[in-house]
Amino acid sequence: MRRLLAYLGHALRVLTLAGLVIHFALTLLYVFPLNPVKMELGLLTSLTIGTYFPQNWSLFAPTPVQSTQALLVRCLSTEEIPSAESNGLPSEGWEDVSSAHFAQAQRHRLSAYERLVRPLQNSLRQYLHGGPDLYPFHEACRKGDAAACQVRDTALQPRREQAARMFRKIGSAFCREAFPEKDFGAVALRFRERHAVPWSERHGGNPKEEDFELGVFKLDEEVALPGIYAAEGT
Amino acid sequence: MNHLLHKGWGWLANEPHQRQGLRALQVCLGLMLLFRASTEGRFASYLWGPTGIGAGSTLDFLHPRLAPIADRLFTVEQGPLLLVLVMGVSSVCLVFGWSTRIATAGALLSSLALASRLPELGDGGDNVARLVLTYMLFALPADRQPRRGSLEVWLHNISILAIGLQIGVLYLTSGFLKATGDKWSNGTAMYLISQVEWFSHPAMRAPFQNPYLTTLASYGTLFFQLWFPIAILTRLRLLWLAFGVVMHLGIATLMGLICFSVAMIGLELFLVTDKEYAWLSDWHQRTINPRLHALWRSRPVQALVQLSGQGQRFNDVLASRQRMTSTPPAHTDVMSSQTTPLRTEDR
């Protein structure tokens, strides 16, 4: 009996060690860029590491973030909605929700502001690029691979819809909390990208800004309020 | 080769390793989760509640039959609050070393559940914390003294090895990916990051316009990460880890990534061996303590303290500490000290 127990103990030790080696071999394969082995075993790594031990260490790599992405919100009263859809959106009254969070997070380092803005910022990044798994397809598409473009666009569609749902909730929470006395029916959302000043123009250059319309969404009347936009957010 | 295998097997089988490092990691992860629970708790309803912004499900990692049951937690307002409470209590236990295995399980389950509801909230710190908490389930509780060569020692050492390998994977991947990017190789990466409002304090912008600083910081980060898995196996380990701690303190202050930085500092402190902790403690006792005492006793400091009216209380504390440190060290024969005659008389 003692010999059997000793044998089982040894077997268990060997098994755990082998499991550790296999686990980290698959982990390395999962986190590394696309290569021939990953093309062969990609499904296995997605089913194991991707499902139970997901990880991504590519923030600031291979290319660091080079622009500030911000969500602009324009709360629309019921009278403004038709004009927004037919004649374009109002040019005034847009609120930069992201930058307000950044300013507060920089003022209060040990606060929740940096964390609270993450769902918004990560959704903006997802809306724009779809996530790290689509980077190779973006790159291949940029080089003229039509099949890669199609795969990318198909994968992007549901992710953009998911991100847009997040924008709608955050925009609605902002409108309802920042202007509690007003009666809004919709929220218009705009995505602003403020590019870093290139190194060569660092002493006198100004950051270039680009705005993209995300659309007009029906106000979400049910979304819980965070309690930070009461004084116009910000 | 045989000798190496034998040595490796012995390392895993005989004695538990990194006990002090594991405590440091538990304290750091506990502080990180405590920060999360205390700052995010009041936003639980907004972030994870039934009408909150989170809409995810545990279906990603749970069985389709189990996931709907787990997801019920998010259908009531109290569900997310309960999870934050579990996270808070677990984090306090981790910091103080109370029931660390149960606390690890509590911290892991609450983090996993909250992350499944709102995956967009997390950063690299949350990601590595969840992985490391999973490995830590197999580590020995803080106060356990196991039998030499037992199975729990083996499992503890396997979990230690897993945490170490995970840190290696993290740094190697991050460094490798950076090395393939042109902004890192042309030395402007840190300048560009300093321009992004989300990740940089305004105070970072002007200094990183300096070509020497931005090149040094970009190459330094790249070099540090790429060489990390090798450097920690050499005599440069403590230097590398100290650099890592300083770098992550900078990231916490200038970039505001508090959770990520605290988790990374914990992982760096984890890699200091028990022998090195003993050596550092000894060095601290021999070098730093006497200097601090001398500084405290110096006239300018005493004058300042007397002015502030706090001097007497601190001096009393200092005197009592000195009495404690002047008692015989552990390895001397206590029976031969002043207490011996009293005990003899008692008998």
Side-chain angles (χ1 to χ4, degrees):
Chain A
M1 188 65 185
R2 271 181 82 173
R3 270 185 74 177
L4 181 70
L5 279 175
Y7 175 77
L8 281 174
H10 256 80
L12 193 64
R13 285 171 169 85
V14 173
L15 270 176
T16 50
L17 190 58
L20 183 82
V21 172
I22 293 167
H23 172 75
F24 278 101
L26 289 172
T27 302
L28 259 186
L29 206 55
Y30 178 77
V31 294
F32 258 50
L34 197 61
N35 58 49
V37 183
K38 194 169 178 173
M39 285 164 82
E40 290 294 315
L41 299 173
L43 184 64
L44 179 66
T45 59
S46 293
L47 288 174
T48 51
I49 306 300
T51 307
Y52 300 106
F53 298 89
Q55 47 197 291
N56 169 25
W57 314 123
S58 65
L59 184 69
F60 303 132
T63 307
V65 186
Q66 296 174 61
S67 62
T68 298
Q69 292 142 359
L71 181 74
L72 272 62
V73 177
R74 174 64 161 87
C75 311
L76 300 172
S77 62
T78 36
E79 300 82 54
E80 285 175 303
I81 301 170
S83 69
E85 282 172 352
S86 55
N87 307 327
L89 294 162
S91 56
E92 288 180 354
W94 289 87
E95 302 276 352
D96 184 342
V97 179
S98 302
S99 298
H101 274 276
F102 301 149
Q104 291 288 28
Q106 285 159 7
R107 229 171 280 156
H108 311 285
R109 276 290 184 236
L110 295 176
S111 69
Y113 287 107
E114 194 276 325
R115 303 277 303 179
L116 285 178
V117 79
R118 286 194 157 271
L120 170 57
Q121 295 307 115
N122 284 330
S123 298
L124 285 172
R125 283 156 63 96
Q126 177 163 307
Y127 189 89
L128 206 62
H129 307 296
D133 57 325
L134 293 187
Y135 291 166
F137 295 97
H138 283 292
E139 188 63 21
C141 182
R142 202 176 53 81
K143 288 176 181 166
D145 185 339
C149 295
Q150 199 177 356
V151 171
R152 180 199 65 176
D153 293 342
T154 310
L156 258 178
Q157 187 61 26
R159 297 180 195 198
R160 286 196 161 164
E161 285 167 9
Q162 188 188 350
R165 283 195 289 274
M166 176 72 78
F167 301 148
R168 180 190 167 216
K169 284 183 179 178
I170 293 172
S172 299
F174 174 81
C175 289
R176 284 174 45 214
E177 192 170 271
F179 310 100
E181 74 288 352
K182 292 190 179 167
D183 185 26
F184 295 118
V187 55
L189 300 171
R190 190 175 275 177
F191 169 73
R192 175 168 289 173
E193 187 158 38
R194 199 160 30 247
H195 296 276
V197 177
W199 173 255
S200 55
E201 298 166 24
R202 66 191 180 280
H203 292 305
N206 287 317
K208 281 182 191 154
E209 283 187 350
E210 283 181 285
D211 284 0
F212 306 93
E213 301 301 340
L214 293 171
V216 177
F217 298 84
K218 188 174 180 293
L219 193 81
D220 187 334
E221 300 279 2
E222 290 186 342
V223 67
L225 305 179
I228 52 171
Y229 299 129
E232 239 170 291
T234 62
Chain B
M1 187 67 185
N2 253 355
H3 171 70
L4 265 178
L5 282 176
H6 192 73
K7 210 175 158 185
W9 186 271
W11 189 92
L12 282 168
N14 296 334
E15 298 290 343
H17 298 281
Q18 304 296 110
R19 303 289 311 256
Q20 298 294 320
L22 187 66
R23 270 303 296 139
L25 179 59
Q26 284 167 345
V27 170
C28 286
L29 291 184
L31 288 174
M32 172 204 158
L33 295 172
L34 192 59
F35 174 76
R36 280 200 58 189
S38 59
T39 56
E40 293 166 26
R42 64 175 275 224
F43 304 106
S45 177
Y46 170 69
L47 294 171
W48 307 287
T51 56
I53 57 172
S57 160
T58 51
L59 196 62
D60 285 345
F61 62 94
L62 281 184
H63 190 273
R65 281 187 188 170
L66 266 179
I69 300 168
D71 286 344
R72 274 189 210 160
L73 264 174
F74 302 109
T75 58
V76 288
E77 289 289 345
Q78 293 81 5
L81 270 177
L82 180 72
L83 287 171
V84 173
L85 188 69
V86 170
M87 182 186 271
V89 172
S90 304
S91 63
V92 170
C93 291
L94 281 175
V95 170
F96 290 104
W98 302 328
S99 309
T100 49
R101 197 171 271 168
I102 297 169
T104 303
L108 176 64
L109 288 175
S110 53
S111 312
L112 272 172
L114 293 175
S116 69
R117 180 68 170 169
L118 185 58
E120 295 90 346
L121 183 69
D123 63 9
D126 299 276
N127 196 340
V128 78
R130 282 196 297 276
L131 295 168
V132 164
L133 284 168
T134 310
Y135 306 137
M136 275 164 59
L137 286 174
F138 300 95
L140 288 166
D143 51 356
R144 177 81 59 88
Q145 293 303 325
R147 192 166 47 81
R148 184 183 154 86
S150 63
L151 188 60
E152 61 178 349
V153 168
W154 175 272
L155 289 176
H156 170 89
N157 288 334
I158 286 282
S159 81
I160 293 300
L161 203 55
I163 298 169
L165 286 169
Q166 185 63 60
I167 303 169
V169 166
L170 188 161
Y171 274 119
L172 184 68
T173 315
S174 190
F176 186 79
L177 290 173
K178 282 188 177 78
T180 60
D182 63 331
K183 304 297 177 198
W184 289 98
S185 56
N186 70 22
T188 59
M190 287 305 293
Y191 162 76
L192 292 168
I193 293 170
S194 76
Q195 303 293 302
V196 178
E197 287 170 45
W198 185 14
F199 293 115
S200 65
H201 194 275
M204 269 176 84
R205 280 170 211 153
F208 278 100
Q209 288 182 356
N210 180 300
Y212 298 101
L213 180 66
T214 200
T215 309
L216 190 71
S218 303
Y219 285 175
T221 308
L222 191 62
F223 185 73
F224 169 76
Q225 294 195 329
L226 273 175
W227 279 94
F228 189 92
I230 295 166
I232 56 157
L233 300 174
T234 68
R235 285 182 185 177
L236 293 170
R237 186 202 353 254
L238 285 182
L239 181 73
W240 228 257
L241 296 176
F243 182 84
V245 170
V246 172
M247 187 176 85
H248 286 111
L249 283 174
I251 289 175
T253 318
L254 295 173
M255 299 174 77
L257 303 174
I258 306 287
C259 291
F260 171 73
S261 300
V262 175
M264 291 309 296
I265 288 170
L267 290 172
E268 274 138 12
L269 294 178
F270 165 82
L271 290 171
V272 180
T273 64
D274 290 343
K275 267 186 189 172
E276 285 162 344
Y277 270 113
W279 177 81
L280 283 170
S281 166
D282 187 46
W283 175 77
H284 184 265
Q285 292 289 336
R286 276 187 291 108
T287 320
I288 304 292
N289 267 0
R291 283 186 189 172
L292 279 179
H293 285 189
L295 181 71
W296 178 253
R297 295 273 180 218
S298 66
R299 279 187 185 174
V301 174
Q302 283 297 309
L304 277 174
V305 168
Q306 295 301 333
L307 270 176
S308 70
Q310 295 288 314
Q312 194 53 47
R313 199 166 64 84
F314 281 119
N315 276 333
D316 290 346
V317 173
L318 190 64
S320 67
R321 278 199 177 179
Q322 278 180 337
R323 278 199 297 278
M324 284 168 74
T325 50
S326 63
T327 52
H331 65 270
T332 57
D333 185 5
V334 179
M335 296 305 280
S336 65
S337 69
Q338 201 184 358
T339 55
T340 311
L342 290 172
R343 288 193 176 193
T344 316
E345 278 171 23
D346 286 347
R347 282 175 197 164

